[in-house]
Amino acid sequence: MTMSVYLSALSVTNLISRMPAAVAQGIIWGLMALGVFITFRLLDIPDMTVDGSFATGGAVTVMLLLAGMPAWAALLIAIVVGVLTGLCTGFLHTKLGIPAILAGILTQFALYSINLRIMTKANQTASVQKFGMFWENGNGFLVSSLHIPQAILVGLVLTAIIVALSYWYFGTEQGSALRATGNNPAMSRAQGIHIGTMKVIGLGISNGIVALAGGLMTQFQGTADVSMGRGAIVIGLAAIVIGEILCDAIFSKGCNFAVKLCFIIFGGVVYYAVMVVILWLKLDPNDLKLFTAIIVAAFLAIPQLKAQSKSSFSRSKKRAISERSDA
Amino acid sequence: MLEIKNVSKTFNPGTINEKRALTDLSLSLNDGDFVSVIGGNGAGKSTLLNAVAGVWPVDSGSILIDGEDVTGMPEYKRAKYIGRVFQDPMMGTAPNMQIEENLALAYRRGKKRGLKWGVTAAEREIYRAKLATLGLGLEDRLTAKVGLLSGGQRQALTLLMASLQTPKLLLLDEHTAALDPGTAKKVLELSDKIISDNKLTALMITHNMTDAIRHGNRLIMMDRGKIVLDISGEEKSRLTKADLLERFAEKTGVQEETDSVLLS
């Protein structure tokens, strides 16, 4: 009885109607995940700064909008400020010798106060009705929840630009040196690469992209909140692992770097769509973070579990016992 | 080519783990010298190579490469002059990057890394030709990830990378110790070839006395942070393993199990 009541309360049309907004937001989170990818996968640093720099991007964007700056210019400055937050973490890590993860946590912690200073209070609103859209007056919002199809289009264009720039940069001499730094620091030093500089550059680029995503999210929602970046690192990791698994499944023989980057954006979209489905199923929204953590932990554990399924002590024990009984 | 003057290094000074690794050590290498370095565990062989490579600053003394004082230069700057191959085959290459990307990184050793494309078509041809000389078939696998190669292949690739940008000095830190005997022999022959083809000055640590005798024009033996024996030219070519053991015992006062001390 209760089950049928529950099922009848679920409307498929309702779910479908929610999907476009989910895709638009998923693209923005995917863009953020691209920033996380640079530190987490290329530099091998789990950078906790992003929880702070995402909100910093939002805070800078909203305050500049309220000060009358065009939305596109506000985003550019948000990127610059985001880069600075990454440089701060890089400085703490490479110059002061603080472990990377702790350096990120410290910057993130400090950014909470800084974001409050920037916004003067916990949240600020910039309404799209007042500022209009970019294609209406040239200075308005680039994305907005009131114009979903356009938001998806603009999101895809911006994403394509960032993917293209990333593909180019990581193919250059300097970008290769940065990848080598994350892959084998000892070898990089022996090849004359200053690994500290490379880490600082990577952290800067990463947080610049994350702040851009924060600025876009602020325009999309018309508001910035000091806690809007909470859990951004986990969402970024979720998008990365989902994207990578889908990429491996489709291109089992490996694929181009640019395709990999596109799959991370796609991973962000899938992640956000799953969240919408969970909400649609009327599960408690308070449990969302728990679900996300479980999904990320499960996917990050896959390589280890795969290796164990081939070789583990318990398997050796079973084999030894069966060999003995055979003999 | 290499001038080491009165270099000392103590690890963990002032603690219970204090270890005097190099004691007032001096060594001078001529252009084209290929020196094999032997000695027991803790004799300071790797410390000597790391001091030259600039892994950490020395406590006292100075190091000159081709007349230039590099004592105050950090590792990444000295890399301009030095090619290195490590004991661990995993250490000299980036596993998640392609063979050609690894070579391109080495090709730019000591040069500014800007925003030009990381691997050009012209240099790809150079890599193909150089890889072909290894005789491992790697020239057809330029875009394969290095992590897919065997230890011997990776060590051969590291050797090629170390010599791609002709170094003033080549440092080989027991670079065959982790390989099986057959592969070790091949990598050692390859080292010989690369050193003689490029007329390199090289320092090679080895635990194998026969290798130390057979390779290079000079042999030094270390003990407790000092060079206790330095044989070169005619004298070295007549050297036998028995001679070496005897000389070792004479220099260090270790009589029994000298073989295991040297070979351990």
Side-chain angles (χ1 to χ4, degrees):
Chain A
M1 178 59 198
T2 45
M3 194 65 193
S4 63
V5 171
Y6 170 73
L7 287 174
S8 65
L10 298 177
S11 138
V12 177
T13 20
N14 174 278
L15 177 66
I16 292 169
S17 71
R18 285 198 212 178
M19 272 304 154
V23 171
Q25 290 197 64
I27 291 172
I28 298 175
W29 283 115
L31 189 60
M32 197 238 18
L34 209 60
V36 175
F37 175 80
I38 292 171
T39 45
F40 185 67
R41 282 292 189 230
L42 299 184
L43 275 181
D44 201 18
I45 293 176
D47 176 28
M48 305 293 287
T49 317
V50 296
D51 284 25
S53 58
F54 187 78
T56 304
V60 169
T61 303
V62 79
M63 294 317 282
L64 290 176
L65 281 169
L66 293 174
M69 189 176 272
W72 58 268
L75 283 179
L76 288 180
I77 293 177
I79 293 174
V80 173
V81 178
V83 169
L84 292 177
T85 66
L87 297 187
C88 176
T89 301
F91 175 79
L92 291 174
H93 173 48
T94 61
K95 294 290 175 199
L96 305 185
I98 298 169
I101 191 154
L102 194 51
I105 291 173
L106 286 174
T107 309
Q108 180 208 116
F109 199 63
L111 282 175
Y112 189 84
S113 294
I114 292 171
N115 293 340
L116 278 173
R117 283 270 180 188
I118 294 173
M119 292 198 289
T120 67
K121 54 181 184 166
N123 55 66
Q124 288 278 2
T125 303
S127 81
V128 66
Q129 283 88 351
K130 187 177 155 201
F131 294 94
M133 295 305 294
F134 176 72
W135 54 85
E136 290 165 8
N137 54 28
N139 293 330
F141 286 17
L142 276 76
V143 289
S144 167
S145 56
L146 299 181
H147 303 274
I148 298 287
Q150 291 91 330
I152 293 175
L153 188 68
V154 171
L156 286 177
V157 169
L158 285 174
T159 303
I161 294 171
I162 300 293
V163 167
L165 282 174
S166 303
Y167 179 75
W168 165 75
Y169 177 72
F170 290 107
T172 64
E173 295 173 338
Q174 197 183 84
S176 302
L178 194 149
R179 286 186 291 136
T181 298
N183 205 206
N184 187 344
M187 170 264 197
S188 303
R189 271 192 300 263
Q191 297 302 341
I193 295 166
H194 190 267
I195 64 168
T197 307
M198 288 301 138
K199 285 181 180 175
V200 172
I201 292 174
L203 285 163
I205 295 173
S206 164
N207 283 287
I209 295 174
V210 170
L212 169 65
L216 285 172
M217 191 55 86
T218 292
Q219 293 189 13
F220 185 81
Q221 297 175 334
T223 173
D225 189 282
V226 72
S227 60
M228 69 190 279
R230 186 173 291 164
I233 177 83
V234 184
I235 296 174
L237 293 179
I240 292 169
V241 292
I242 293 170
E244 284 177 343
I245 281 164
L246 291 173
C247 185
D248 286 347
I250 295 170
F251 300 96
S252 55
K253 284 180 180 166
C255 64
N256 185 293
F257 186 62
V259 176
K260 257 183 207 155
L261 297 181
C262 292
F263 264 96
I264 291 167
I265 308 290
F266 187 55
V269 173
V270 170
Y271 166 79
Y272 214 77
V274 169
M275 289 300 129
V276 167
V277 170
I278 288 175
L279 288 176
W280 174 75
L281 290 170
K282 302 214 182 342
L283 297 173
D284 191 339
N286 290 339
D287 294 337
L288 276 187
K289 286 190 162 53
L290 177 64
F291 286 125
T292 307
I294 291 170
I295 291 171
V296 172
F299 283 122
L300 287 178
I302 284 176
Q304 167 77 8
L305 296 177
K306 262 188 185 166
Q308 267 179 13
S309 74
K310 288 189 191 117
S311 147
S312 74
F313 284 107
S314 57
R315 276 181 177 263
S316 297
K317 186 183 169 189
K318 271 183 213 146
R319 269 196 295 270
I321 290 169
S322 72
E323 277 163 24
R324 227 175 298 150
S325 60
D326 287 347
Chain B
M1 183 52 73
L2 173 69
E3 193 87 37
I4 301 172
K5 290 180 195 160
N6 310 102
V7 163
S8 295
K9 177 72 187 179
T10 303
F11 292 111
N12 309 311
T15 72
I16 195 157
N17 291 321
E18 181 171 299
K19 163 93 180 131
R20 190 116 214 236
L22 294 178
T23 309
D24 203 23
L25 183 143
S26 295
L27 174 69
S28 177
L29 258 59
N30 297 318
D31 225 343
D33 265 357
F34 177 7
V35 183
S36 42
V37 185
I38 57 170
N41 278 338
K45 307 182 299 293
S46 287
T47 310
L48 172 65
L49 255 61
N50 288 338
V52 173
V55 175
W56 24 251
V58 295
D59 296 339
S60 61
S62 59
I63 298 167
L64 282 77
I65 297 176
D66 205 12
E68 186 180 350
D69 192 333
V70 298
T71 317
M73 250 189 215
E75 186 178 6
Y76 78 97
K77 281 191 182 156
R78 271 188 227 187
K80 189 173 169 182
Y81 308 118
I82 301 171
R84 283 158 80 192
V85 185
F86 309 95
Q87 177 173 1
D88 181 354
M90 305 301 141
M91 223 170 135
T93 44
N96 293 344
M97 295 174 78
Q98 299 166 347
I99 291 177
E100 63 175 28
E101 287 179 323
N102 272 273
L103 286 164
L105 285 166
Y107 195 57
R108 286 161 181 76
R109 180 164 51 74
K111 297 192 173 160
K112 201 183 165 299
R113 291 168 206 268
L115 296 178
K116 286 201 289 273
W117 198 243
V119 193
T120 65
E123 65 191 82
R124 203 166 274 139
E125 288 316 305
I126 299 174
Y127 302 156
R128 216 184 290 278
K130 292 261 186 189
L131 284 169
T133 62
L134 300 182
L136 297 170
L138 296 181
E139 62 274 18
D140 301 321
R141 299 172 63 189
L142 278 180
T143 55
K145 294 269 165 71
V146 169
L148 299 171
L149 306 184
S150 70
Q153 287 174 324
R154 281 180 78 162
Q155 213 60 330
L157 181 64
T158 311
L159 255 175
L160 185 60
M161 285 165 61
S163 60
L164 202 54
Q165 206 38 266
T166 310
K168 289 186 188 293
L169 193 62
L170 179 65
L171 303 179
L172 309 171
D173 188 353
E174 283 189 63
H175 68 309
T176 59
L179 307 174
D180 67 81
T183 314
K185 189 162 171 279
K186 273 186 207 144
V187 169
L188 213 51
E189 281 165 7
L190 185 67
S191 314
D192 262 346
K193 184 174 176 302
I194 285 180
I195 290 169
S196 63
D197 286 358
N198 298 287
K199 300 185 179 61
L200 300 178
T201 308
L203 269 171
M204 176 178 80
I205 298 179
T206 175
H207 264 137
N208 186 319
M209 272 196 292
T210 318
D211 288 343
I213 292 166
R214 193 177 296 155
H215 299 272
N217 65 329
R218 191 170 160 190
L219 181 149
I220 60 175
M221 185 188 285
M222 290 186 69
D223 185 54
R224 278 165 277 185
K226 283 179 185 268
I227 293 172
V228 292
L229 194 64
D230 187 343
I231 307 169
S232 56
E234 189 68 6
E235 195 188 355
K236 178 178 181 285
S237 57
R238 284 199 310 267
L239 202 64
T240 64
K241 203 168 157 180
D243 290 341
L244 212 48
L245 283 172
E246 196 180 311
R247 302 283 285 273
F248 183 75
E250 189 181 297
K251 292 285 177 188
T252 63
V254 179
Q255 294 291 344
E256 286 169 32
E257 295 182 47
T258 42
D259 202 33
S260 68
V261 170
L262 270 172
L263 295 172
S264 60

